[in-house]
Amino acid sequence: MSDQVKELVSKCLQARDMAYCPYSRFPVGAAILTADGAIITGCNVENASYGLTVCAERTAVQRAVVEGHTQFRAIAVTCDIKDRFVGPCGACRQVLMEFGTDWIVYLAKPDGSYKETSLSELLPLAFSSAHLAKN
Ligand code: THU
């Protein structure tokens, strides 16, 4: 495991511990590696009006943009499930797609083991800004 991936996975595990999820009790953590080597984290933030919940991946994207990053290399995502690799929800896949089709996605288990996949694998035939440009 490269040191950078190890750090990314470790940061997403730390972010999961910050999750605000009193309703689902399902903590999720995410960590984005930006093109310039910064790591920006996110966790899920729930709300009593359940539909207003924001997933960990989207929290991380929003933080990254506010901090001036829009070029991303990879994202690591984790939850508490120990016996399988869990991918981002469909809405988050679409939000990640906004910032490029060729991201690496690391699906991490609580023990730090991970599976490498990609956004194009997770969201094939995606709708993106490239389609809008054709009109
Ligand atoms: N959740 C995420 O943070 N990311 C996902 O990709 C899937 C779901 C959160 C939302 C909610 O707080 C909890 O997990 C249960 O759905």
Side-chain angles (χ1 to χ4, degrees):
M1 186 192 296
S2 87
D3 283 352
Q4 201 169 42
V5 178
K6 209 173 182 172
E7 195 190 348
L8 194 66
V9 167
S10 150
K11 291 269 165 112
C12 87
L13 290 164
Q14 284 171 30
R16 180 203 54 189
D17 293 340
M18 303 310 290
Y20 177 76
C21 54
Y23 308 107
S24 72
R25 303 205 178 279
F26 189 88
V28 182
I32 291 175
L33 177 65
T34 69
D36 54 5
I39 292 179
I40 312 287
T41 58
C43 62
N44 48 333
V45 181
E46 298 188 343
N47 191 276
S49 177
Y50 299 161
L52 299 183
T53 290
V54 183
C55 290
E57 299 88 329
R58 280 180 282 156
T59 306
V61 166
Q62 288 167 7
R63 278 183 85 183
V65 170
V66 169
E67 292 181 24
H69 306 281
T70 52
Q71 307 280 316
F72 305 130
R73 273 194 250 159
I75 183 168
V77 185
T78 196
C79 62
D80 272 350
I81 294 175
K82 296 184 180 69
D83 61 352
R84 75 200 91 144
F85 295 105
V86 181
C89 78
C92 287
R93 293 177 197 204
Q94 180 66 34
V95 169
L96 297 177
M97 184 62 67
E98 180 67 20
F99 297 94
T101 55
D102 55 354
W103 295 51
I104 300 169
V105 181
Y106 297 105
L107 310 179
K109 287 183 187 168
D111 66 2
S113 59
Y114 66 87
K115 175 188 166 71
E116 179 177 332
T117 180
S118 66
L119 193 53
S120 52
E121 196 170 11
L122 292 173
L123 192 60
L125 300 174
F127 179 77
S128 75
S129 60
H131 302 110
L132 296 177
K134 297 223 179 334
N135 290 322

